[in-house]
Amino acid sequence: MRIGMIGLGRMGGNIARRLQRSGHQPVVFDRNPEAVAELELEGFEPADSLEEIKKKLGTEAVFWVMLPAGEPTEKTIQILRTIAEPGDVVIDGGNSFYKDDIRRAKLLADKGIHYIDVGTSGGVWGLERGYCMMIGGPKEAVDHLDPIFDALAPGIGTIPRTPNRMEHEGEDARAEKGYIHAGPAGAGHFVKTVHNGIEYGLMQAYAEGFDILKSKQSSKLPEDERYVLNLTDIAEVWRRGSVISSWLLDLTAAALAKDQMLSQFSGRVADSGEGRWTVEAAMEEAVPAVVLTAALFARYRSRVEHTFADQVLSAMRFGFGGHVEIPQ
């Protein structure tokens, strides 16, 4: 299947590569000509504008927008609205606010253009591991593009199957492969928003735990209660058979193995929006979200006063997403 890939950053470029490996034919575009040239050398068909992508794709064109949420995505979709024709599909695979999806879907539907939002998780590892996808939009359009989503997803792999899962009516078999059609416009990004809110809480728990371990050697404690603990060994042993093992712990262990003090990380932890949107949704729905709210506020605090826990957070963010915390 031919598809226009717009935005060739940390994830967009690798999404194009994974699609190509599965026999699909991405036409690639980025405002940075060097990013386009790099993929052209790898055999991808380049385009120098959004208009050229449409020309090359022809009728029933599929545009995948993989840009930062907010203005870059908004402007691009507005341009595509003027370029696309009835029957074309616009996909937003970034981390957009779900209410923006609802608005955009209505605007594009007025012209007969389908809009699909894809909450995409996998970070810089997605090329090899695959991408977990939470998809919103009209069922007919989502089903038509299933070959693309199937190619990007991790697949069943070696993860044990959940007992009795498919005995209940309405279960989506694609979930076992790593992607679902969550519902109408905005549903995909809403599920991804809450996913990232949970991620904040999990990361904060690991970060605070390792900070407590590191601080056990503090001179403020009685001498016989001080321990100089090997954080690298602790992270490693927890990875093996522990109930708190996870990919986030794997990334933490890898960072500590390189430098137990995590000195390359500033500890000034950014938030990309989804944590705030999760807390806002919790307030709208009157759902108590104590852990997730505290984790969000901890990131705000990190920009004023840094702790070792904040450095652990930075290390995890760099590990899965290539995020570089800028000291200020």
Side-chain angles (χ1 to χ4, degrees):
M1 185 176 291
R2 286 171 64 78
I3 180 171
M5 180 59 61
I6 302 164
L8 307 176
R10 287 191 299 262
M11 291 185 66
N14 281 345
I15 286 174
R17 291 182 176 97
R18 190 169 173 93
L19 287 173
Q20 186 189 58
R21 288 181 181 182
S22 297
H24 297 285
Q25 300 170 301
V27 178
V28 297
F29 169 72
D30 193 285
R31 288 189 303 173
N32 178 6
E34 293 180 1
V36 178
E38 179 181 346
L39 287 185
E40 186 176 7
L41 289 174
E42 297 178 27
F44 287 84
E45 184 176 357
D48 59 16
S49 66
L50 298 176
E51 290 80 3
E52 186 178 6
I53 287 182
K54 170 58 181 173
K55 182 178 180 181
K56 290 188 173 186
L57 295 179
T59 58
E60 297 188 351
V62 179
F63 306 90
W64 185 304
V65 180
M66 203 67 190
L67 297 170
E71 186 175 353
T73 295
E74 188 68 34
K75 284 186 174 180
T76 300
I77 291 175
Q78 290 293 344
I79 295 172
L80 289 176
R81 183 174 181 270
T82 66
I83 295 172
E85 300 174 317
D88 289 353
V89 180
V90 174
I91 301 171
D92 177 9
N95 282 326
S96 290
F97 185 40
Y98 80 100
K99 292 183 181 180
D100 288 335
D101 293 316
I102 296 171
R103 171 179 52 80
R104 292 169 185 160
K106 292 176 181 177
L107 285 173
L108 294 179
D110 288 344
K111 294 193 64 178
I113 303 165
H114 302 298
Y115 179 85
I116 295 175
D117 53 286
V118 181
T120 311
S121 182
V124 296
W125 299 87
L127 176 59
E128 301 301 331
R129 293 170 59 110
Y131 299 91
C132 172
M133 291 168 290
M134 298 136 270
I135 306 164
K139 183 179 185 303
E140 182 180 348
V142 172
D143 289 348
H144 174 68
L145 296 177
D146 190 74
I148 287 175
F149 301 132
D150 188 68
L152 291 174
I156 293 178
T158 59
I159 297 175
R161 303 184 78 168
T162 302
N164 308 317
R165 204 191 83 83
M166 294 305 297
E167 293 182 3
H168 306 288
E169 186 177 352
E171 306 289 356
D172 190 341
R174 294 171 293 188
E176 290 188 314
K177 296 183 179 181
Y179 67 108
I180 59 169
H181 181 204
H189 276 148
F190 183 72
V191 175
K192 177 57 162 53
T193 291
V194 178
H195 164 284
N196 282 26
I198 293 171
E199 180 184 287
Y200 278 38
L202 293 172
M203 292 172 67
Q204 189 66 29
Y206 283 122
E208 291 178 6
F210 280 101
D211 201 355
I212 293 169
L213 292 170
K214 179 177 179 293
S215 299
K216 191 59 175 172
Q217 60 186 295
S218 171
S219 59
K220 297 177 182 179
L221 296 172
E223 186 172 356
D224 62 352
E225 295 181 12
R226 301 175 201 165
Y227 303 137
V228 179
L229 300 169
N230 188 311
L231 302 187
T232 303
D233 286 348
I234 292 170
E236 188 63 30
V237 76
W238 282 352
R239 293 181 60 221
R240 303 178 183 279
S242 164
V243 297
I244 64 168
S245 59
S246 73
W247 186 29
L248 290 171
L249 182 59
D250 294 345
L251 296 171
T252 303
L256 289 169
K258 290 182 180 179
D259 173 15
Q260 194 164 145
M261 299 305 295
L262 302 178
S263 53
Q264 77 176 90
F265 298 102
S266 69
R268 186 183 185 278
V269 188
D271 71 286
S272 52
E274 299 87 350
R276 282 178 280 131
W277 298 337
T278 301
V279 172
E280 288 172 2
M283 291 190 293
E284 290 176 354
E285 300 162 15
V287 174
V290 179
V291 172
L292 307 191
T293 303
L296 174 64
F297 287 173
R299 295 197 178 194
Y300 294 161
R301 189 263 312 137
S302 76
R303 297 164 208 173
V304 179
E305 180 182 6
H306 315 318
T307 66
F308 182 70
D310 301 323
Q311 291 174 275
V312 176
L313 287 176
S314 291
M316 281 187 274
R317 294 188 80 242
F318 179 76
F320 66 71
H323 303 289
V324 177
E325 314 290 6
I326 302 173
Q328 287 188 358

mmCIF file of all heavy atoms in Angstrom, residues 81 100-111 113 115 185:
data_model
loop_
_atom_site.group_PDB
_atom_site.id
_atom_site.type_symbol
_atom_site.label_atom_id
_atom_site.label_comp_id
_atom_site.label_asym_id
_atom_site.label_seq_id
_atom_site.Cartn_x
_atom_site.Cartn_y
_atom_site.Cartn_z
ATOM 1 N N ARG A 81 -6.234 19.592 4.245
ATOM 2 C CA ARG A 81 -7.680 19.766 4.019
ATOM 3 C C ARG A 81 -7.948 20.438 2.671
ATOM 4 O O ARG A 81 -8.963 20.155 2.020
ATOM 5 C CB ARG A 81 -8.289 20.588 5.151
ATOM 6 C CG ARG A 81 -9.800 20.761 5.064
ATOM 7 C CD ARG A 81 -10.343 21.472 6.302
ATOM 8 N NE ARG A 81 -11.801 21.627 6.225
ATOM 9 C CZ ARG A 81 -12.409 22.679 5.688
ATOM 10 N NH1 ARG A 81 -11.683 23.686 5.196
ATOM 11 N NH2 ARG A 81 -13.729 22.743 5.653
ATOM 12 N N ASP A 100 -9.023 18.003 19.929
ATOM 13 C CA ASP A 100 -8.612 18.524 18.623
ATOM 14 C C ASP A 100 -8.962 17.526 17.522
ATOM 15 O O ASP A 100 -9.341 17.914 16.413
ATOM 16 C CB ASP A 100 -7.112 18.811 18.607
ATOM 17 C CG ASP A 100 -6.730 20.022 19.440
ATOM 18 O OD1 ASP A 100 -7.597 20.895 19.639
ATOM 19 O OD2 ASP A 100 -5.570 20.106 19.887
ATOM 20 N N ASP A 101 -8.827 16.240 17.823
ATOM 21 C CA ASP A 101 -9.191 15.206 16.844
ATOM 22 C C ASP A 101 -10.667 15.281 16.480
ATOM 23 O O ASP A 101 -11.040 15.166 15.306
ATOM 24 C CB ASP A 101 -8.894 13.810 17.412
ATOM 25 C CG ASP A 101 -7.419 13.549 17.609
ATOM 26 O OD1 ASP A 101 -6.642 13.895 16.713
ATOM 27 O OD2 ASP A 101 -7.055 12.998 18.658
ATOM 28 N N ILE A 102 -11.513 15.459 17.487
ATOM 29 C CA ILE A 102 -12.957 15.521 17.240
ATOM 30 C C ILE A 102 -13.281 16.684 16.308
ATOM 31 O O ILE A 102 -14.053 16.547 15.352
ATOM 32 C CB ILE A 102 -13.709 15.652 18.576
ATOM 33 C CG1 ILE A 102 -13.489 14.393 19.434
ATOM 34 C CG2 ILE A 102 -15.193 15.887 18.332
ATOM 35 C CD1 ILE A 102 -14.006 14.520 20.856
ATOM 36 N N ARG A 103 -12.652 17.836 16.581
ATOM 37 C CA ARG A 103 -12.871 19.026 15.741
ATOM 38 C C ARG A 103 -12.355 18.795 14.323
ATOM 39 O O ARG A 103 -13.043 19.101 13.337
ATOM 40 C CB ARG A 103 -12.167 20.219 16.387
ATOM 41 C CG ARG A 103 -12.134 21.476 15.520
ATOM 42 C CD ARG A 103 -11.450 22.629 16.242
ATOM 43 N NE ARG A 103 -10.145 22.285 16.765
ATOM 44 C CZ ARG A 103 -9.030 22.249 16.025
ATOM 45 N NH1 ARG A 103 -9.086 22.528 14.717
ATOM 46 N NH2 ARG A 103 -7.878 21.941 16.579
ATOM 47 N N ARG A 104 -11.150 18.243 14.207
ATOM 48 C CA ARG A 104 -10.563 18.040 12.879
ATOM 49 C C ARG A 104 -11.373 17.034 12.072
ATOM 50 O O ARG A 104 -11.552 17.206 10.851
ATOM 51 C CB ARG A 104 -9.124 17.551 13.018
ATOM 52 C CG ARG A 104 -8.156 18.570 13.589
ATOM 53 C CD ARG A 104 -6.848 17.884 13.927
ATOM 54 N NE ARG A 104 -5.905 18.770 14.584
ATOM 55 C CZ ARG A 104 -4.882 18.341 15.306
ATOM 56 N NH1 ARG A 104 -4.687 17.047 15.463
ATOM 57 N NH2 ARG A 104 -4.054 19.204 15.869
ATOM 58 N N ALA A 105 -11.837 15.993 12.724
ATOM 59 C CA ALA A 105 -12.606 14.972 12.020
ATOM 60 C C ALA A 105 -13.854 15.576 11.382
ATOM 61 O O ALA A 105 -14.227 15.236 10.255
ATOM 62 C CB ALA A 105 -12.980 13.848 12.977
ATOM 63 N N LYS A 106 -14.510 16.493 12.097
ATOM 64 C CA LYS A 106 -15.710 17.145 11.558
ATOM 65 C C LYS A 106 -15.354 18.038 10.373
ATOM 66 O O LYS A 106 -16.072 18.063 9.363
ATOM 67 C CB LYS A 106 -16.390 17.957 12.656
ATOM 68 C CG LYS A 106 -17.009 17.100 13.758
ATOM 69 C CD LYS A 106 -17.582 17.974 14.871
ATOM 70 C CE LYS A 106 -18.185 17.124 15.983
ATOM 71 N NZ LYS A 106 -18.695 17.962 17.109
ATOM 72 N N LEU A 107 -14.252 18.781 10.497
ATOM 73 C CA LEU A 107 -13.841 19.669 9.408
ATOM 74 C C LEU A 107 -13.511 18.886 8.142
ATOM 75 O O LEU A 107 -13.891 19.285 7.033
ATOM 76 C CB LEU A 107 -12.623 20.489 9.838
ATOM 77 C CG LEU A 107 -12.868 21.634 10.819
ATOM 78 C CD1 LEU A 107 -11.540 22.228 11.273
ATOM 79 C CD2 LEU A 107 -13.729 22.719 10.170
ATOM 80 N N LEU A 108 -12.809 17.767 8.297
ATOM 81 C CA LEU A 108 -12.430 16.981 7.138
ATOM 82 C C LEU A 108 -13.629 16.213 6.574
ATOM 83 O O LEU A 108 -13.736 16.022 5.358
ATOM 84 C CB LEU A 108 -11.303 16.009 7.505
ATOM 85 C CG LEU A 108 -9.967 16.662 7.873
ATOM 86 C CD1 LEU A 108 -8.936 15.615 8.253
ATOM 87 C CD2 LEU A 108 -9.423 17.514 6.722
ATOM 88 N N ALA A 109 -14.510 15.781 7.455
ATOM 89 C CA ALA A 109 -15.690 15.039 6.986
ATOM 90 C C ALA A 109 -16.559 15.894 6.080
ATOM 91 O O ALA A 109 -17.213 15.380 5.164
ATOM 92 C CB ALA A 109 -16.498 14.539 8.186
ATOM 93 N N ASP A 110 -16.566 17.207 6.312
ATOM 94 C CA ASP A 110 -17.341 18.112 5.461
ATOM 95 C C ASP A 110 -16.875 18.061 4.011
ATOM 96 O O ASP A 110 -17.628 18.408 3.096
ATOM 97 C CB ASP A 110 -17.227 19.549 5.984
ATOM 98 C CG ASP A 110 -18.005 19.763 7.273
ATOM 99 O OD1 ASP A 110 -18.860 18.915 7.601
ATOM 100 O OD2 ASP A 110 -17.751 20.765 7.964
ATOM 101 N N LYS A 111 -15.625 17.625 3.798
ATOM 102 C CA LYS A 111 -15.096 17.516 2.443
ATOM 103 C C LYS A 111 -15.000 16.058 1.985
ATOM 104 O O LYS A 111 -14.390 15.774 0.945
ATOM 105 C CB LYS A 111 -13.705 18.165 2.368
ATOM 106 C CG LYS A 111 -13.716 19.673 2.578
ATOM 107 C CD LYS A 111 -12.384 20.285 2.186
ATOM 108 C CE LYS A 111 -12.099 20.116 0.714
ATOM 109 N NZ LYS A 111 -10.834 20.749 0.279
ATOM 110 N N ILE A 113 -13.351 13.701 3.546
ATOM 111 C CA ILE A 113 -12.025 13.173 3.874
ATOM 112 C C ILE A 113 -12.100 12.465 5.223
ATOM 113 O O ILE A 113 -12.650 12.995 6.185
ATOM 114 C CB ILE A 113 -10.977 14.309 3.940
ATOM 115 C CG1 ILE A 113 -10.948 15.075 2.619
ATOM 116 C CG2 ILE A 113 -9.599 13.763 4.283
ATOM 117 C CD1 ILE A 113 -10.235 16.417 2.705
ATOM 118 N N TYR A 115 -10.655 11.019 8.735
ATOM 119 C CA TYR A 115 -9.620 11.406 9.697
ATOM 120 C C TYR A 115 -9.465 10.282 10.713
ATOM 121 O O TYR A 115 -10.456 9.810 11.289
ATOM 122 C CB TYR A 115 -10.007 12.702 10.410
ATOM 123 C CG TYR A 115 -9.002 13.168 11.451
ATOM 124 C CD1 TYR A 115 -7.893 13.924 11.085
ATOM 125 C CD2 TYR A 115 -9.169 12.838 12.789
ATOM 126 C CE1 TYR A 115 -6.977 14.345 12.035
ATOM 127 C CE2 TYR A 115 -8.254 13.263 13.745
ATOM 128 C CZ TYR A 115 -7.159 14.018 13.369
ATOM 129 O OH TYR A 115 -6.260 14.432 14.313
ATOM 130 N N ALA A 185 -13.612 9.202 16.378
ATOM 131 C CA ALA A 185 -12.568 10.230 16.356
ATOM 132 C C ALA A 185 -12.188 10.671 17.765
ATOM 133 O O ALA A 185 -13.046 10.984 18.586
ATOM 134 C CB ALA A 185 -13.041 11.434 15.549
#
